[in-house]
Amino acid sequence: MRQRRQAALRLLLVLTLLAASAACLGGSSGRRVLVIMTPWTAEAERNSFQAVLTAFKAETGITVHASPTRALDQVLRAAVQKREAPDLAVMANPGALRSYAQQGDLVRLDRFQDRALGSGLVDLLRSDYGPPWSRAGEAVNGDPYAVMVKASVKSLIWYAPQRLATQPPDSWAGLVGVGRSMVQRGDTPWCLALADPPNSGWPGTDWIEDILLHQSGADLYTDWVDGNLDWTSPQVREAWQAWGQIFTAQGSIHGGPLTALLTGYGEGAYPLFTASPGCYFEHGAPVTPDPTAVTKPLPGKDYDFVPFPEFRPTPTPAYEVSGDLVAMFHDSPEAERFMAFLASPQAQQIWPGLQPESAFSANRAVATRLASGHATGSVARRIDELLTSSAILCFDASDSMPSSMAAAFNRAVLDYLNDPTRLPTILAGLDKVRADAYPQSTQSSVCAHSSPGQEAK
């Protein structure tokens, strides 16, 4: 706790020093406008991030323009190749962050020792954020390059409480059994939507990652992320087959496999809320109800979640998490101040305050404060409490893999759902990609206890 207070005080000093520096630049008309490339094209996300930018401008007078695109990775890489990179950008994933850092395109956050920004900001990230959040922003020998602007939990099963007699089972075997019973009586248990050009397939990778984590544990999950485990290994093959238990049975997916392949991932949960249920369960990060619905579904009443089911009893629960990282391509006093602002408690509570059921802070102090402000047992409070519990948190596997490996994984999911009999060929193909994607031995820390002072591989 003392270390956190010290880190917070150091960051406050950073902001004060930078404010004085900015004042020396003259009026706001003399300050350079920053541009940040983002993936947030949906209205709710776009407006929430704009609220962060507005708060920053109100405090500093510095304007930050957001440039949103769904094809962020592709557009950003093209801009960097043309030497037209924006001042800042949201990284597609930690794998992309490492790639840009290794190429020398990014600015290290501990580079600004003369203005105390590096030490103050980095200390805060490592004390109040902790693993795996701070580690996700590190690259090239563990050097810090990014700030986590918001967090999400993926190891969740969503359902409509008013349409089920009980909560979904807390065991994998029980969940599979309930799905089969629904199919037998003519109901469709699962929603699934995989389309998200140019990255279609990733919602399916989340499934396989979650299964592997809960079936084989955090250590093996880490080996797999680092390229030290064959895709044709029994553990990885069994994870794919377990996913197939649910989704290859006729009648188990809303609309069938073809509909899943063509439906945009943001619309995946809509059938949960139709008058005649199109499905009863969905997996992943917080669901997105249809914004055009006449009656807005209420969290906790119309939709709720349970943690991903266990394959066997375990003393410490594990959850797959993800988050959005912001990194700097061009150094300037304005950009440095913006990065410090993004990491501050003030900025970290803006987005979750606007979308409390779908956006969360990786800052433990902020998450704890937000949890205490939500009703006991509410969706938002329980997710905040999960993020600050003693659980093991594992960063999204495909997001942490090299970009070529992640892209091949996405395509493999689409191929498998289209024809499950091709699994041996699909996994062998992924091993071929793996041989080129990892030119040297890798050792990451994608899994860690969410509580400071504890260790996980």
Side-chain angles (χ1 to χ4, degrees), residues 268-335:
Y270 290 3
L272 273 174
F273 308 108
T274 54
S276 177
C279 65
Y280 289 83
F281 306 120
E282 202 206 24
H283 164 266
V287 299
T288 305
D290 186 348
T292 65
V294 177
T295 303
K296 183 179 179 181
L298 299 176
K301 177 184 177 183
D302 298 309
Y303 64 98
D304 207 338
F305 76 89
V306 295
F308 195 85
E310 298 295 340
F311 281 77
R312 61 186 65 84
T314 178
T316 305
Y319 303 102
E320 184 182 21
V321 296
S322 66
D324 295 291
L325 294 158
V326 173
M328 295 173 57
F329 282 88
H330 299 297
D331 185 17
S332 68
E334 297 90 347

Side-chain angles (χ1 to χ4, degrees), residues 126-286:
R126 290 173 176 167
S127 62
D128 274 24
Y129 288 70
W133 307 111
S134 62
R135 293 174 183 171
E138 295 174 352
V140 188
N141 301 319
D143 294 328
Y145 282 89
V147 169
M148 190 72 66
V149 67
K150 70 178 176 72
S152 186
V153 181
K154 294 193 170 185
S155 294
L156 307 174
I157 301 295
W158 295 90
Y159 69 103
Q162 296 179 337
R163 293 173 173 177
L164 287 178
T166 61
Q167 288 186 340
D170 59 4
S171 71
W172 178 258
L175 189 65
V176 172
V178 166
R180 287 173 177 167
S181 297
M182 287 183 172
V183 171
Q184 289 173 359
R185 67 171 183 256
D187 290 328
T188 303
W190 289 98
C191 283
L192 182 65
L194 300 177
D196 184 25
N199 303 305
S200 297
W202 67 259
T205 70
D206 285 352
W207 261 107
I208 294 164
E209 293 158 8
D210 230 344
I211 292 171
L212 183 70
L213 173 62
H214 288 85
Q215 197 172 44
S216 300
D219 287 352
L220 189 134
Y221 180 98
T222 302
D223 288 339
W224 179 51
V225 170
D226 291 346
N228 298 322
L229 180 69
D230 291 345
W231 287 81
T232 50
S233 67
Q235 297 93 335
V236 176
R237 184 182 68 250
E238 288 167 6
W240 283 78
Q241 291 171 333
W243 188 53
Q245 275 187 294
I246 288 183
F247 291 110
T248 59
Q250 187 173 0
S252 62
I253 310 173
H254 173 72
L258 182 59
T259 296
L261 292 169
L262 298 177
T263 302
Y265 84 97
E267 303 173 5
Y270 290 3
L272 273 174
F273 308 108
T274 54
S276 177
C279 65
Y280 289 83
F281 306 120
E282 202 206 24
H283 164 266

Side-chain angles (χ1 to χ4, degrees), residues 406-435:
F409 191 8
N410 288 343
R411 292 191 298 270
V413 163
L414 304 178
D415 290 342
Y416 178 63
L417 189 63
N418 186 55
D419 184 2
T421 65
R422 295 190 62 247
L423 182 60
T425 302
I426 290 170
L427 296 181
L430 289 171
D431 268 332
K432 291 181 180 179
V433 175
R434 167 176 158 262

